[in-house]
mmCIF file of all heavy atoms in Angstrom:
data_model
loop_
_atom_site.group_PDB
_atom_site.id
_atom_site.type_symbol
_atom_site.label_atom_id
_atom_site.label_comp_id
_atom_site.label_asym_id
_atom_site.label_seq_id
_atom_site.Cartn_x
_atom_site.Cartn_y
_atom_site.Cartn_z
ATOM 1 N N GLY A 305 -43.190 31.212 -47.234
ATOM 2 C CA GLY A 305 -42.589 32.401 -46.796
ATOM 3 C C GLY A 305 -42.740 32.811 -45.414
ATOM 4 O O GLY A 305 -42.166 33.968 -45.087
ATOM 5 N N GLY A 337 -40.665 35.113 -38.811
ATOM 6 C CA GLY A 337 -40.617 36.247 -39.738
ATOM 7 C C GLY A 337 -41.204 35.847 -41.119
ATOM 8 O O GLY A 337 -41.590 34.691 -41.320
ATOM 9 N N THR A 338 -41.042 36.743 -42.071
ATOM 10 C CA THR A 338 -41.423 36.490 -43.470
ATOM 11 C C THR A 338 -40.249 36.689 -44.410
ATOM 12 O O THR A 338 -39.383 37.539 -44.080
ATOM 13 C CB THR A 338 -42.572 37.484 -43.836
ATOM 14 O OG1 THR A 338 -42.104 38.832 -43.616
ATOM 15 C CG2 THR A 338 -43.762 37.242 -42.946
ATOM 16 N N HIS A 339 -40.353 35.974 -45.589
ATOM 17 C CA HIS A 339 -39.324 36.139 -46.530
ATOM 18 C C HIS A 339 -39.694 37.361 -47.315
ATOM 19 O O HIS A 339 -40.754 37.678 -47.569
ATOM 20 C CB HIS A 339 -39.297 34.857 -47.436
ATOM 21 C CG HIS A 339 -38.067 34.914 -48.427
ATOM 22 N ND1 HIS A 339 -38.291 35.314 -49.753
ATOM 23 C CD2 HIS A 339 -36.831 34.420 -48.172
ATOM 24 C CE1 HIS A 339 -37.132 35.148 -50.272
ATOM 25 N NE2 HIS A 339 -36.235 34.612 -49.466
ATOM 26 N N GLN A 340 -38.663 38.081 -47.893
ATOM 27 C CA GLN A 340 -38.915 39.305 -48.589
ATOM 28 C C GLN A 340 -39.808 39.090 -49.801
ATOM 29 O O GLN A 340 -40.487 40.033 -50.337
ATOM 30 C CB GLN A 340 -37.602 39.867 -49.057
ATOM 31 C CG GLN A 340 -36.698 39.057 -49.922
ATOM 32 C CD GLN A 340 -35.482 39.781 -50.361
ATOM 33 O OE1 GLN A 340 -35.280 40.905 -50.005
ATOM 34 N NE2 GLN A 340 -34.632 39.076 -51.098
ATOM 35 N N SER A 341 -39.892 37.856 -50.369
ATOM 36 C CA SER A 341 -40.641 37.571 -51.637
ATOM 37 C C SER A 341 -42.157 37.658 -51.293
ATOM 38 O O SER A 341 -42.858 37.697 -52.217
ATOM 39 C CB SER A 341 -40.318 36.228 -52.184
ATOM 40 O OG SER A 341 -40.546 35.187 -51.255
ATOM 41 N N VAL A 342 -42.645 37.541 -49.974
ATOM 42 C CA VAL A 342 -44.015 37.616 -49.689
ATOM 43 C C VAL A 342 -44.459 38.928 -49.005
ATOM 44 O O VAL A 342 -45.583 39.037 -48.466
ATOM 45 C CB VAL A 342 -44.438 36.365 -48.880
ATOM 46 C CG1 VAL A 342 -44.085 35.135 -49.574
ATOM 47 C CG2 VAL A 342 -43.797 36.441 -47.518
ATOM 48 N N LYS A 343 -43.534 39.904 -48.993
ATOM 49 C CA LYS A 343 -43.916 41.088 -48.176
ATOM 50 C C LYS A 343 -45.142 41.891 -48.694
ATOM 51 O O LYS A 343 -45.806 42.607 -47.879
ATOM 52 C CB LYS A 343 -42.681 41.982 -48.242
ATOM 53 C CG LYS A 343 -42.294 42.585 -49.557
ATOM 54 C CD LYS A 343 -41.028 43.404 -49.455
ATOM 55 C CE LYS A 343 -40.647 44.082 -50.821
ATOM 56 N NZ LYS A 343 -39.359 44.921 -50.701
ATOM 57 N N GLU A 344 -45.489 41.637 -49.965
ATOM 58 C CA GLU A 344 -46.665 42.333 -50.525
ATOM 59 C C GLU A 344 -48.052 41.537 -50.354
ATOM 60 O O GLU A 344 -49.065 42.174 -50.434
ATOM 61 C CB GLU A 344 -46.422 42.648 -52.020
ATOM 62 C CG GLU A 344 -45.144 43.417 -52.355
ATOM 63 C CD GLU A 344 -45.223 44.795 -51.796
ATOM 64 O OE1 GLU A 344 -46.292 45.368 -51.532
ATOM 65 O OE2 GLU A 344 -44.134 45.395 -51.565
ATOM 66 N N THR A 345 -47.830 40.280 -50.016
ATOM 67 C CA THR A 345 -49.016 39.485 -49.803
ATOM 68 C C THR A 345 -49.245 38.945 -48.417
ATOM 69 O O THR A 345 -50.424 38.522 -48.109
ATOM 70 C CB THR A 345 -48.858 38.179 -50.782
ATOM 71 O OG1 THR A 345 -47.630 37.458 -50.442
ATOM 72 C CG2 THR A 345 -48.854 38.650 -52.248
ATOM 73 N N GLY A 349 -46.231 41.843 -43.675
ATOM 74 C CA GLY A 349 -45.197 42.461 -44.545
ATOM 75 C C GLY A 349 -43.834 41.763 -44.492
ATOM 76 O O GLY A 349 -43.720 40.503 -44.592
ATOM 77 N N HIS A 350 -42.808 42.610 -44.349
ATOM 78 C CA HIS A 350 -41.453 41.948 -44.217
ATOM 79 C C HIS A 350 -40.869 42.240 -42.945
ATOM 80 O O HIS A 350 -40.601 43.341 -42.622
ATOM 81 C CB HIS A 350 -40.479 42.610 -45.371
ATOM 82 C CG HIS A 350 -39.152 41.945 -45.496
ATOM 83 N ND1 HIS A 350 -38.050 42.600 -45.967
ATOM 84 C CD2 HIS A 350 -38.844 40.590 -45.230
ATOM 85 C CE1 HIS A 350 -37.125 41.753 -45.971
ATOM 86 N NE2 HIS A 350 -37.543 40.586 -45.513
ATOM 87 N N VAL A 351 -40.806 41.203 -42.204
ATOM 88 C CA VAL A 351 -40.430 41.233 -40.791
ATOM 89 C C VAL A 351 -39.647 39.970 -40.299
ATOM 90 O O VAL A 351 -39.909 38.929 -40.856
ATOM 91 C CB VAL A 351 -41.562 41.560 -39.831
ATOM 92 C CG1 VAL A 351 -42.502 40.368 -39.872
ATOM 93 C CG2 VAL A 351 -41.275 41.815 -38.426
#
Side-chain angles (χ1 to χ4, degrees):
T338 56
H339 190 266
Q340 62 179 355
S341 63
V342 301
K343 65 181 180 181
E344 302 298 334
T345 56
H350 188 207
V351 63

